[in-house]
Amino acid sequence: MWDKQSRFTALVEAYSADLHRYAQWLCGDPEVAEDVVQETFTRAWKSLDRLRDQRAAKAWLITTLRRENARRFSRKQLDYAEVPLDLVQAVTTYDTSSDAFALRNALAHLSEDYREPLLLQVIGGFSIDEIAEEMEITTGAATTRLFRARQKMKAVLEGDEEGSTEVTKL
């Protein structure tokens, strides 16, 4: 039987890269993503005794990360400053290629119901069964959402406005 420290270390080693990728996508800022992942692991450490099935660890950590990201908005009050727009410099910390832009644009066209399962599969490496469990939907619904998400992405990437509208109506 492993002690708590060994179990925790194994979780960090196994899932930190996946959590960082997902947090980076959620936050859009590497420093904020790092903070969210750190908070996720802090909460995981405190609740590790509640994790009974190691096979559920990844889903448990992703759920914790999503909740921690949501907490960020509920507890933070943004301070606004009067700064002229011409003084604000654009800072990019992600791929600025035209392909990356097209993919981000296509993802932005997806509703949350379609974007989330697609990202869980592509970034998180979740199976359809795991996605269904994570989103609390049926396996059939997860499969349908993934199929429709890919249809919509393809339509947007190909510039097919008619197909894009059709998929949106589904």
Side-chain angles (χ1 to χ4, degrees):
M1 181 59 94
W2 289 17
D3 67 339
K4 184 175 182 177
Q5 181 64 47
S6 299
R7 288 178 58 212
F8 182 75
T9 301
L11 282 178
V12 171
E13 288 173 357
Y15 302 115
S16 64
D18 291 337
L19 290 178
H20 277 95
R21 274 194 305 277
Y22 190 58
Q24 173 69 32
W25 181 86
L26 282 176
C27 302
D29 179 338
E31 292 175 8
V32 174
E34 180 65 29
D35 290 345
V36 171
V37 171
Q38 289 297 330
E39 279 300 315
T40 299
F41 280 125
T42 299
R43 287 185 185 280
W45 172 259
K46 292 176 184 176
S47 307
L48 192 58
D49 294 333
R50 288 189 232 153
L51 178 64
R52 301 284 181 234
D53 185 359
Q54 284 299 118
R55 294 174 298 188
K58 186 174 183 179
W60 178 65
L61 288 168
I62 289 287
T63 299
T64 305
L65 186 138
R66 288 172 57 214
R67 289 179 180 154
E68 187 54 40
N69 185 56
R71 275 187 208 94
R72 196 167 63 91
F73 295 104
S74 67
R75 68 177 174 242
K76 182 174 182 175
Q77 297 297 319
L78 298 176
D79 295 327
Y80 294 99
E82 295 290 329
V83 178
L85 285 179
D86 57 335
L87 295 179
V88 178
Q89 294 180 350
V91 177
T92 56
T93 57
Y94 56 89
D95 187 351
T96 58
S97 69
S98 59
D99 288 342
F101 175 79
L103 284 173
R104 280 191 299 276
N105 184 47
L107 274 172
H109 279 80
L110 294 177
S111 70
E112 189 67 26
D113 286 343
Y114 296 139
R115 183 178 25 226
E116 187 171 2
L118 184 62
L119 290 171
L120 286 171
Q121 187 178 57
V122 174
I123 293 175
F126 282 76
S127 70
I128 290 175
D129 291 334
E130 292 170 325
I131 292 167
E133 184 178 329
E134 178 71 25
M135 295 184 69
E136 298 177 352
I137 58 177
T138 66
T139 302
T143 302
T144 299
R145 288 183 187 187
L146 285 166
F147 175 76
R148 289 180 179 168
R150 286 190 177 89
Q151 276 186 322
K152 174 118 174 115
M153 291 280 292
K154 183 178 177 187
V156 171
L157 289 170
E158 291 176 351
D160 180 10
E161 295 305 318
E162 194 174 302
S164 176
T165 305
E166 245 178 65
V167 175
T168 303
K169 291 178 183 175
L170 293 177

